[in-house]
């Protein structure tokens, strides 16, 4: 059966060019980067090369990149590392209502330990306002964290403006750029940020590998304690093949950036156009302006039916899509992101996220639209909401 993967924001396949570079680091180049003999030093060089590759994608210095086990760990490190290091300065952190659970659940944990968290609201397209941020800052504020690109509705935040507000008040600024990496231009120096969370598996690299950009001179507490790896800041023997893969994926993402964005946004625009034209009572959620949206992201509400039913029936045709974020889809709780942009609960339940990527083709989109028309039509025929609508 035909397989169409439209969930590139959940994860991506490792590209062959990336895998080819990783494999030797499982076998012949297996040395521990901390060892002082030749094969250890070779591994250390491979780690340093990967730092250059990742740094180059975001205009950082290689010494400002720390490898972690993924975006989740990077988010946790910043939140808990700043909370601990600056506890004498204050106990207030500002974030938003639409962050990834890696951020929100970490903040909820801190609330149990005496920290105060402000969750900034967003407008109907998911944008945070710099004025709201400025009003929320107090003399107890130690960190502002706003994600660069939202994983459900693709909103690209005005990070440069937001970071400038934090800086004016002498507050550290973090952005979770996991969805932004390789999809929107990132220049840490121009943006004026202190911390950036990165992940490898959303940019065609391996899973379980990520990074944290920490601006030179900024000091926070460790999150993982142990050996002296990563200049004593992140312990544990390096995931060498993972790091090499992340570096290779970052280099490829930089090289292919323009082509990738053009490919994804044109297929996404075509997908959205086709769905809205062919299927009645459908709505496009999130920013309408493509330049302020993740190039591959579409989030659509199909009224009167459930997103989970659509997902399961599409799966029968070999099509993979998502409802909300991967973590919340099992719980059937309405998406906190769609709630925050003011979509009523009944419509949230009928929402589906479709994300295209480098391997998506126009034929794939035509196939998905054809099956969606069929599935949505069938589900609406049997939907109990028909009674209310008087169909
Ligand atoms: C995927 C994702 C994460 C988590 O990254 P992992 O590498 O899977 O731990 C964090 N934030 C955002 C916005 C994400 O999309």
């Amino acid at each position: 059966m035909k397989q169409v993967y439209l969930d590139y924001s959940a994860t991506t396949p490792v590209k062959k060019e990336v895998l080819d570079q990783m494999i030797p680091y499982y076998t012949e180049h297996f040395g521990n980067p901390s060892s002082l003999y030749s094969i250890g030093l070779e591994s250390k060089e491979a780690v340093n090369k990967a730092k250059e590759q990742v740094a180059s994608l975001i205009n950082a210095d290689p010494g400002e990149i720390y490898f972690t086990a993924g975006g989740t760990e990077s988010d946790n490190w910043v939140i808990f590392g700043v909370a601990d290091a600056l506890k004498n300065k204050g106990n207030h952190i500002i974030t938003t209502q639409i962050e990834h659970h890696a951020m929100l659940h970490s903040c909820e944990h801190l609330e149990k330990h005496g920290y105060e968290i402000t969750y900034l609201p967003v407008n109907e397209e998911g944008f945070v306002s710099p004025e709201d941020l400025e009003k929320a800052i107090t003399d107890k504020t130690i960190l502002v964290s706003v994600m660069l690109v939202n994983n459900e509705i693709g909103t690209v935040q005005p990070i440069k403006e937001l970071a400038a507000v934090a800086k004016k008040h002498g507050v550290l600024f973090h952005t979770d750029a996991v969805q932004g990496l390789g999809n929107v231009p990132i220049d840490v120096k121009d943006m004026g940020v202190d911390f950036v969370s990165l992940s490898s598996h959303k940019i065609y690299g391996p899973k379980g590998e990520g990074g944290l950009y920490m601006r030179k001179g900024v000091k926070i507490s460790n999150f993982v304690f142990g050996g002296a790896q990563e200049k004593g800041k992140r312990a544990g023997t390096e995931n060498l093949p993972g790091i090499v893969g992340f570096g290779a994926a970052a280099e490829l993402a930089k090289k292919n950036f323009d082509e990738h964005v053009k490919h994804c946004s044109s297929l996404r625009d075509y997908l959205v156009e086709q769905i809205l034209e062919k299927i009645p009572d459908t709505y496009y959620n999130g920013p309408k302006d493509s330049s302020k949206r993740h190039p591959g992201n579409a989030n659509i509400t199909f009224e009167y039916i459930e997103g989970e039913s659509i997902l399961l029936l599409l799966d029968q045709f070999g099509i993979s899509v998502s409802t909300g974020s991967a973590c919340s889809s099992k719980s059937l709780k309405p998406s906190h992101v769609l709630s925050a942009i003011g979509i009523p609960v009944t419509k949230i339940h009928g929402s589906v996220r479709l994300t295209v990527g480098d391997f998506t083709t126009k034929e794939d989109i035509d196939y998905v639209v054809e099956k969606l028309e069929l599935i949505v039509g069938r589900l609406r025929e049997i939907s109990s909401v028909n009674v209310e609508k008087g169909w």
Side-chain angles (χ1 to χ4, degrees):
M1 191 189 22
K2 190 173 167 67
Q3 291 286 327
V4 178
Y5 182 75
L6 285 193
D7 204 12
Y8 282 82
S9 278
T11 194
T12 58
V14 174
K15 283 189 175 166
K16 180 151 191 323
E17 306 94 295
V18 171
L19 181 65
D20 287 347
Q21 293 184 54
M22 291 170 65
I23 287 173
Y25 289 91
Y26 284 105
T27 52
E28 66 256 48
H29 302 304
F30 65 91
N32 188 321
S34 301
S35 300
L36 297 175
Y37 39 78
S38 309
I39 64 162
L41 296 176
E42 273 168 29
S43 297
K44 181 88 194 157
E45 270 175 36
V47 172
N48 288 340
K49 180 181 169 197
K51 281 193 183 172
E52 284 171 19
Q53 290 166 315
V54 172
S56 162
L57 183 57
I58 62 171
N59 193 30
D61 296 329
E64 297 172 312
I65 303 295
Y66 298 85
F67 289 119
T68 66
T72 301
E73 185 192 320
S74 301
D75 284 349
N76 274 253
W77 183 5
V78 172
I79 281 283
F80 294 115
V82 171
D84 183 68
L86 300 185
K87 62 176 179 287
N88 293 328
K89 183 190 174 221
N91 67 341
H92 180 228
I93 289 174
I94 301 172
T95 185
T96 80
Q97 292 176 357
I98 62 165
E99 297 298 306
H100 190 270
H101 282 141
M103 184 56 58
L104 292 178
H105 291 166
S106 300
C107 287
E108 283 163 24
H109 183 75
L110 279 182
E111 282 179 299
K112 291 187 201 136
H113 292 270
Y115 286 82
E116 280 181 28
I117 317 285
T118 299
Y119 300 93
L120 294 175
V122 294
N123 72 9
E124 70 292 345
E125 290 191 325
F127 293 103
V128 175
S129 113
E131 291 76 36
D132 286 349
L133 170 59
E134 182 134 38
K135 276 185 240 151
I137 295 176
T138 72
D139 57 357
K140 291 272 178 271
T141 309
I142 52 174
L143 178 71
V144 174
S145 176
V146 179
M147 71 198 316
L148 174 59
V149 178
N150 182 267
N151 46 304
E152 291 187 43
I153 54 173
T155 311
V156 181
Q157 301 293 344
I159 293 299
K160 188 177 175 173
E161 267 178 82
L162 295 164
V165 172
K167 194 169 185 177
K168 189 172 123 191
H169 293 271
V171 178
L172 292 170
F173 191 94
H174 165 248
T175 187
D176 173 341
V178 171
Q179 291 290 335
L181 194 66
N183 289 307
V184 298
I186 302 179
D187 180 331
V188 292
K189 295 195 172 80
D190 179 59
M191 283 172 161
V193 293
D194 298 295
F195 310 99
V196 181
S197 297
L198 308 167
S199 178
S200 152
H201 75 103
K202 309 265 171 88
I203 63 160
Y204 308 92
K207 294 171 183 56
E209 185 54 47
L212 180 66
Y213 159 81
M214 191 171 354
R215 190 171 58 77
K216 202 173 164 197
V218 175
K219 286 189 178 61
I220 62 171
S221 303
N222 280 24
F223 180 63
V224 177
F225 295 85
Q229 292 88 358
E230 297 288 271
K231 293 178 274 183
K233 291 189 176 162
R234 198 281 187 178
T237 300
E238 294 87 343
N239 172 2
L240 188 60
I243 287 170
V244 167
F246 186 19
E251 185 176 318
L252 211 55
K254 184 172 174 173
K255 192 176 113 208
N256 297 342
F257 184 81
D258 291 339
E259 199 189 321
H260 163 81
V261 170
K262 204 171 136 215
H263 174 81
C264 292
S265 57
S266 70
L267 285 177
R268 185 272 316 278
D269 291 347
Y270 176 62
L271 170 69
V272 173
E273 214 181 85
Q274 290 290 304
I275 292 175
L276 297 183
E277 187 188 303
K278 295 197 166 144
I279 308 176
D281 298 321
T282 50
Y283 304 92
Y284 187 33
N285 303 315
K288 302 286 177 279
D289 176 354
S290 283
S291 71
K292 290 178 182 162
R293 184 170 188 133
H294 181 296
N297 172 286
N299 188 303
I300 307 240
T301 296
F302 298 89
E303 272 225 273
Y304 319 119
I305 50 179
E306 302 242 308
E308 281 73 22
S309 313
I310 300 174
L311 183 154
L312 295 174
L313 291 176
L314 282 173
D315 188 38
Q316 310 240 298
F317 289 110
I319 300 166
S320 314
V321 300
S322 147
T323 54
S325 62
C327 340
S328 60
S329 58
K330 280 193 193 119
S331 67
L332 293 189
K333 266 202 276 177
S335 148
H336 65 284
V337 176
L338 298 181
S339 299
I341 61 171
I343 301 192
V345 177
T346 50
K347 285 194 178 165
I348 293 176
H349 282 303
S351 302
V352 174
R353 179 186 75 179
L354 309 106
T355 42
V356 307
D358 285 353
F359 299 109
T360 311
T361 64
K362 182 166 178 292
E363 291 70 45
D364 290 341
I365 304 291
D366 289 331
Y367 178 73
V368 170
V369 173
E370 179 198 318
K371 297 306 173 202
L372 262 176
E373 255 190 290
L374 183 80
I375 288 168
V376 171
R378 268 196 213 151
L379 286 172
R380 281 182 179 163
E381 270 169 33
I382 59 168
S383 164
S384 59
V385 189
N386 287 346
V387 181
E388 288 164 38
K389 264 207 92 195
W391 285 0

